[in-house]
């Protein structure tokens, strides 16, 4: 079930904070919708969840917007492509506030030729879409962004600590 601060608002389509109590109702209709869809976006909390969700792809475009291990996504891309589907990674950045306002960013990695087709999907729910290269590079770019933010936060905390003294 969605357990991150971003996954549930995205899954519910409301952009509002929710709870895992909404998950059973969503889960019942996900499989039925997926069978009828030509494109699927997943936003999952772990690499294991991404592997389970992307197994069994069949002639559809799979876009994974989870923040997971880039090497896992490289393997998933190969597996999905062997099944005749197209896989892109497109992790979400911007946090809960950006999800609620519809201004978050998808950083996409995948086959360049498919980027134009895939771009329409995240463009429907996020204002910013940026292609970074082969499968896994969207994830790698997000991890670099997260590292930069962590460094900035550590510097700010050190400066504030010095100011207290």
């Amino acid at each position: 079930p969605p357990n991150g601060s971003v996954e549930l608002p995205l899954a519910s389509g409301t952009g509002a904070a929710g709870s895992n109590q909404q998950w059973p109702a969503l889960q019942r209709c996900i499989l039925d919708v997926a069978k009828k869809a030509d494109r699927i976006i997943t936003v999952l909390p772990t690499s294991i969840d991404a592997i389970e969700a992307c197994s069994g792809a069949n002639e559809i475009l799979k876009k994974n917007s989870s923040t997971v291990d880039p090497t896992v996504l490289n393997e998933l891309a190969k597996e999905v492509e062997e099944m005749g589907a197209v896989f892109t990674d497109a992790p979400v950045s911007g946090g809960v506030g950006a999800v609620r306002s519809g201004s978050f960013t998808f950083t996409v990695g995948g086959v360049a030729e498919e980027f134009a087709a895939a771009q329409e999907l995240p463009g429907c729910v996020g204002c910013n879409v940026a292609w970074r290269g082969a499968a896994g590079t969207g994830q790698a770019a997000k991890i670099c962004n997260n590292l930069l933010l962590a460094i900035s936060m550590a510097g700010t905390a050190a400066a504030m600590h010095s100011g207290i003294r």
Side-chain angles (χ1 to χ4, degrees):
N3 65 5
S5 54
V6 172
E7 288 93 353
L8 191 59
L10 283 174
S12 67
T14 64
S19 72
N20 281 339
Q21 293 173 1
Q22 295 169 318
W23 178 242
L26 291 170
Q27 193 175 27
R28 285 191 293 272
C29 70
I30 288 173
L31 185 57
D32 190 41
V33 170
K35 288 177 183 177
K36 297 174 184 173
D38 61 345
R39 293 185 174 103
I40 299 169
I41 298 176
T42 59
V43 184
L44 304 163
T46 70
S47 296
I48 293 168
D49 294 320
I51 291 166
E52 289 176 3
C54 292
S55 297
N58 186 15
E59 297 180 8
I60 55 172
L61 172 70
K62 285 246 181 179
K63 180 180 303 304
N64 185 292
S65 294
S66 310
T67 302
V68 297
D69 184 342
T71 57
V72 168
L73 294 181
N74 289 335
E75 293 303 314
L76 280 176
K78 290 175 191 172
E79 181 183 332
V80 168
E81 288 168 8
E82 287 173 4
M83 290 186 263
V86 177
F87 181 92
T88 58
D89 67 291
V92 179
S93 294
V96 176
V99 169
R100 288 183 180 148
S101 69
S103 62
F104 54 93
T105 298
F106 284 96
T107 306
V108 181
V111 180
E113 295 79 25
E114 296 295 330
F115 177 66
Q119 189 174 6
E120 70 188 50
L121 291 173
C124 293
V125 292
C127 290
N128 305 305
V129 181
W131 183 72
R132 296 296 176 220
T137 59
Q139 197 62 242
K142 172 154 185 194
I143 290 170
C144 289
N145 183 58
N146 287 357
L147 287 171
L148 182 60
L149 290 172
I151 291 166
S152 176
M153 289 171 40
T156 300
M160 291 177 72
H161 186 297
S162 294
I164 292 171
R165 289 181 171 186

